[in-house]
């Protein structure tokens, strides 16, 4: 750590409360903080919050350096038909709804091929849960994509979808996951997590996976060599103690398996959700909570999960850049089209050209880098000149298929 960074940390620690200072000093020494220490940081205010942010940013620099990564990818949400009934979701429709849709495997392949031709290295595939889904449909999508675009990384299906698919086929979970890996599954989005506490999950979605099943699926995937992301949705009915328990559970899984590639905090998009409209949730997170959650995540996960991603779809660009100065190091993906958050009220989410990511990253004095899904650096753009030489201007945004009728869901993560 540079002398300037050490001086900055010392000044921040000197200004904060003694108990927060003790927790942050322990984190700087490499300690894995306890629940009680995490809760103290999760409720930090004023100078103590500023100290948390300063230390988180220093731990980020120590762990991953000054590069901010992004992946060139496309989201493909193949159906909005779903029976689960999550109260925080603005996406799901009944099978007979006029704006219900389901893409065929051929349509999904067309989107994947189009993404590859535009420079994407990843497609992220998730969708609703129709009652009449064939459990082998997920396998067939993988098989079709890998046949058409063999080099494309397929980041696909939430733990909820894997549980549903295994139940539909009658296959044991591990056999089902192994089959999916054999058919081309590259990694799994760690969504359907929300808050990993069954009390909170009952309020959000009684039909969603219980915590134990989510952990079972994620752990089994890691043990079979399938990496996953990890996520947490905040800003609804949960409390700071729930953040800490959730993050520490992820840390404990990572210590056992090492299979998480990143952690992605997801701010609740409230405007169009039943949960908020019926008075069951607060109106999303405020600025300080966004900073607090990202900084807390970096500190509690230090030495466990290296990469901390911002969800620009949830946060917007200005808030994302603030969080990237508060411990985060990854800007997520270009998406090309986004069917995750806009139905819940998000104002972002269709397409960010790679050069726009690079411009924003440089605006805060950091170095842009394109990565693979599993965080291998594909290209480091150390100067604007290198960027201009390597890549021509991006073509216009992709046309969005039936954009008005494809309403996105609020859970999200990539």
């Amino acid at each position: 750590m540079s002398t300037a960074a050490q001086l900055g940390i010392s000044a921040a620690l000197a200004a904060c409360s003694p108990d927060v200072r003790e927790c942050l000093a322990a984190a700087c020494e490499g300690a894995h903080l306890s629940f009680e220490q995490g809760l103290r940081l999760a409720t930090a205010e004023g100078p103590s919050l500023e100290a948390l942010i300063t230390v988180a940013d220093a731990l980020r620099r120590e762990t991953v350096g000054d590069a901010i990564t992004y992946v060139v990818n496309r989201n493909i949400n193949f159906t909005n038909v779903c029976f689960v009934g999550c109260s925080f979701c603005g996406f799901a429709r009944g099978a007979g709804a006029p704006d219900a849709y389901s893409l065929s495997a051929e349509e999904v392949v067309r989107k994947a091929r189009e993404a590859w031709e535009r420079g994407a290295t990843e497609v992220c595939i998730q969708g609703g849960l129709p009652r009449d889904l064939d459990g082998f449909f997920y396998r067939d999508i993988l098989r079709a994509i890998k046949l058409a675009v063999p080099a494309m990384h397929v980041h696909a299906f939430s733990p909820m979808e894997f549980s549903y698919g295994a139940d539909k086929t009658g296959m044991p979970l591990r056999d089902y996951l192994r089959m999916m890996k054999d058919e081309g599954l590259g990694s799994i989005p760690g969504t359907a997590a929300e808050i990993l506490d069954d009390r909170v999950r009952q309020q959000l979605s009684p039909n969603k996976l219980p915590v134990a099943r989510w952990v079972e699926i994620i752990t089994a995937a890691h043990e079979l060599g399938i990496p996953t992301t990890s996520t947490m949705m905040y800003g609804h009915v949960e409390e700071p103690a729930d953040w800490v328990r959730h993050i520490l559970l992820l840390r404990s899984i990572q210590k056992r398996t090492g299979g998480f590639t990143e952690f992605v905090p997801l701010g609740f998009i409230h405007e169009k959700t039943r949960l908020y409209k019926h008075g069951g949730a607060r109106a999303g997170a405020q600025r300080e909570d966004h900073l607090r959650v990202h900084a807390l995540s970096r500190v509690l996960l230090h030495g466990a999960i290296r990469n901390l991603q911002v969800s620009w779809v949830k946060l917007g660009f200005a808030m994302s850049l603030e969080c990237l100065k508060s411990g985060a190091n990854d800007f997520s993906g270009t998406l090309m089209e986004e069917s995750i958050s806009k139905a819940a009220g998000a104002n972002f989410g269709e397409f960010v050209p790679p050069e726009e990511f690079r411009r924003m990253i440089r605006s805060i004095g950091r170095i842009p880098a394109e990565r693979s899904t599993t965080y291998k650096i594909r290209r480091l753009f150390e100067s604007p000149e290198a960027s201009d030489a390597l890549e021509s201007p991006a073509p216009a945004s992709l046309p969005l298929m039936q954009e008005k009728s494809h309403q996105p869901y609020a859970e999200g993560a990539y």
Side-chain angles (χ1 to χ4, degrees), residues 31-284:
H32 276 178
L33 301 188
S34 67
F35 170 80
E36 291 74 17
Q37 291 171 310
L39 184 58
R40 183 64 195 92
L41 297 179
T43 54
E45 300 281 355
S48 292
L49 175 57
E50 291 301 318
L52 170 62
I53 290 169
T54 298
V55 168
D57 197 49
L59 293 177
R60 179 272 306 162
R61 186 178 298 108
E62 176 185 318
T63 303
V64 294
D66 279 333
I68 293 177
T69 50
Y70 63 88
V71 64
V72 181
N73 69 345
R74 184 176 196 173
N75 267 25
I76 304 173
N77 298 106
F78 56 87
T79 184
N80 64 351
V81 177
C82 189
F83 68 83
V84 178
C86 299
S87 63
F88 57 86
C89 178
F91 168 73
R93 299 291 184 271
D99 55 349
Y101 76 91
S102 294
L103 302 181
S104 66
E106 291 75 19
E107 289 173 300
V108 173
V109 167
R110 179 188 64 77
K111 287 174 172 280
R113 184 182 290 112
E114 186 176 50
W116 178 259
E117 290 168 353
R118 294 176 58 86
T121 59
E122 171 200 300
V123 285
C124 178
I125 303 174
Q126 298 182 91
L129 272 64
R131 291 191 182 279
D132 60 353
L133 184 79
D134 184 322
F136 290 105
F137 179 70
Y138 300 135
R139 178 204 64 186
D140 293 344
I141 287 179
L142 291 171
R143 182 179 289 172
I145 290 174
K146 296 305 284 190
L147 182 64
V149 195
M152 181 70 84
H153 183 103
V154 185
H155 180 61
F157 312 127
S158 72
M160 186 80 183
E161 288 167 290
F162 280 103
S163 184
Y164 191 51
D167 290 346
K168 281 282 192 177
T169 61
M171 296 175 67
L173 173 64
R174 284 177 175 267
D175 290 348
Y176 189 79
L177 285 166
R178 190 176 289 109
M179 173 185 71
M180 299 289 271
K181 181 182 179 184
D182 290 345
E183 294 290 349
L185 178 70
S187 57
I188 296 173
T191 47
E194 286 76 65
I195 291 290
L196 293 171
D197 181 291
D198 285 325
R199 171 187 55 83
V200 177
R201 295 172 81 76
Q202 278 295 309
Q203 296 179 63
L204 297 176
S205 180
N207 297 324
K208 211 66 175 280
L209 293 175
V211 173
R213 180 64 166 168
W214 190 94
V215 172
E216 177 190 13
I217 293 166
I218 288 291
T219 302
H222 293 179
E223 291 172 349
L224 290 169
I226 306 169
T228 77
T229 67
S230 57
T231 66
M232 179 180 76
M233 187 176 73
Y234 64 95
H236 41 90
V237 304
E238 89 297 348
E239 300 295 337
D242 298 313
W243 304 340
V244 178
R245 278 188 286 266
H246 182 109
I247 294 168
L248 294 186
L249 175 56
L250 297 177
R251 189 178 75 185
S252 71
I253 294 171
Q254 184 74 342
K255 288 169 70 176
R256 295 198 308 272
T257 69
F260 289 129
T261 55
E262 74 231 56
F263 177 58
V264 192
L266 300 167
F268 174 53
I269 302 297
H270 66 284
E271 285 91 339
K272 299 180 183 179
T273 65
R274 177 164 45 91
L275 182 65
Y276 175 70
K277 287 180 176 180
H278 293 178
R282 58 190 183 275

Side-chain angles (χ1 to χ4, degrees), residues 70 354-363 365-369 379-393:
Y70 63 88
E355 59 268 26
E356 179 63 13
F357 271 139
R358 296 197 293 273
R359 185 196 64 76
M360 288 189 286
I361 290 166
R362 289 195 188 93
S363 76
R366 304 270 285 281
I367 303 168
R379 286 188 288 183
L380 187 67
F381 298 92
E382 295 190 86
S383 70
E385 293 75 20
S387 168
D388 294 341
L390 282 169
E391 187 168 319
S392 59

